[in-house]
Amino acid sequence: MRDIIDVRGASGAVYRFTRFRDGNPLSAMGGNFVYARHNEEAPELLFAGEAQNLLTGARRLWDAAVRDHGADGLYTRLNISEGVRRREHADIAAANTLPISDPEPDGPG
């Protein structure tokens, strides 16, 4: 499993994400995150999100993603600016077919 993945947005911009490893705390800072499922070729993106607090926001749908979609990698990207986070999230979502949707897109986190 890769420790770093690059995710391309619809604009052509590339966003670098680092894998969260068990035992390492998630940051309480704001940022973007993605859930992935790995196979022989490359990670398949399952979900993309952004949160004011990655510690809670990035984990909110994780258990369901593992159970229902076989997610095996949670990747984060620190990004303090809310406006930048939202633009990056929209760019990534526009470029990728993501099988997991957020029932509370403006929910806690």
Side-chain angles (χ1 to χ4, degrees):
M1 186 178 317
R2 298 177 185 175
D3 287 336
I4 295 174
I5 60 171
D6 291 330
V7 177
R8 186 170 302 277
S11 69
V14 176
Y15 307 101
R16 181 155 284 179
F17 288 80
T18 304
R19 182 168 61 99
F20 165 70
R21 294 176 177 228
D22 288 335
N24 292 338
L26 280 165
S27 173
M29 294 178 64
N32 296 77
F33 60 96
V34 295
Y35 299 161
R37 176 175 52 215
H38 293 80
N39 59 38
E40 301 289 323
E41 299 166 18
E44 173 190 359
L45 290 186
L46 301 172
F47 179 76
E50 61 92 15
Q52 295 225 58
N53 180 337
L54 286 171
L55 183 64
T56 56
R59 299 279 309 184
R60 189 166 57 86
L61 301 174
W62 177 248
D63 291 338
V66 170
R67 180 187 66 239
D68 300 339
H69 297 277
D72 60 7
L74 180 135
Y75 293 83
T76 62
R77 172 181 168 82
L78 293 180
N79 199 335
I80 296 170
S81 168
E82 183 176 0
V84 172
R85 276 196 319 267
R86 289 182 185 251
R87 283 190 298 277
E88 287 183 4
H89 174 260
D91 193 30
I92 291 167
N96 295 277
T97 302
L98 303 168
I100 301 173
S101 61
D102 190 347
E104 299 177 48
D106 294 321

